[in-house]
Amino acid sequence: MGWTIRQGAPALVAYSLGGGYPTPSDPGPAPRGSRFFSGGNSPVTELVQDLAVPAGVDAGSVRYTLGGWLGGYLGQEDGVQLSVEFRDAKGAPLALSVLGPVTSGERAARTALLQRSVTSTVPPGARSARVRLVFTRAGGTSNDGYADAVSLVLTGLAGGVA
């Protein structure tokens, strides 16, 4: 299932582009694909994926790991937040985990993507999960929040990993 653009105009940027964007030699996932997400030129860009949660989570033994590589450009504070919100059958929120943004200080004022993750228990009654990427421009004309290798993994389900 793909991403839905809820706001703004995201960009898929090639690692080979250069010009200040992350390159294969900058900190980031290894191995990495050919492209990463950028916030584009919009002050705020939001991407969303709504996912069904498989049956079998109500025993409280299913765990999730939300992860991704988040970053930005040099000393700028443009950034991206990655989150997952679990919802019940009526769409009411049950639990929320948020990662990022990765600050310029955490990146040592370098163009970089740093790995972030959180692991917890899927709340009983969860029937869907909304994964969001929200890129926010703090200054300049480009939204230089970057994200790559985003994942939501469920473990402990009867029959394996989802």
Side-chain angles (χ1 to χ4, degrees), residues 68-79:
W69 289 76
L70 311 176
Y73 175 72
L74 295 177
Q76 293 183 358
E77 291 299 338
D78 296 3

Side-chain angles (χ1 to χ4, degrees), residues 18-148:
Y21 287 107
T23 67
S25 62
D26 290 317
R32 63 185 82 190
S34 62
R35 297 179 181 184
F36 59 91
F37 286 113
S38 166
N41 291 324
S42 303
V44 177
T45 294
E46 179 183 2
L47 300 173
V48 173
Q49 275 194 34
D50 287 317
L51 308 167
V53 172
V57 300
D58 292 335
S61 60
V62 176
R63 310 233 348 125
Y64 70 90
T65 300
L66 175 69
W69 289 76
L70 311 176
Y73 175 72
L74 295 177
Q76 293 183 358
E77 291 299 338
D78 296 3
V80 58
Q81 283 190 328
L82 169 62
S83 65
V84 63
E85 180 180 70
F86 289 95
R87 298 174 175 193
D88 68 15
K90 294 181 180 180
L94 298 173
L96 174 68
S97 289
V98 179
L99 301 171
V102 172
T103 67
S104 169
E106 291 172 298
R107 294 183 279 106
R110 290 187 62 188
T111 297
L113 288 94
L114 304 180
Q115 187 175 32
R116 296 291 184 259
S117 67
V118 62
T119 299
S120 191
T121 303
V122 176
R127 295 298 176 261
S128 66
R130 172 166 281 181
V131 179
R132 295 176 64 218
L133 281 170
V134 178
F135 302 81
T136 303
R137 181 175 71 203
T141 57
S142 293
N143 186 332
D144 293 308
Y146 308 134
D148 198 2

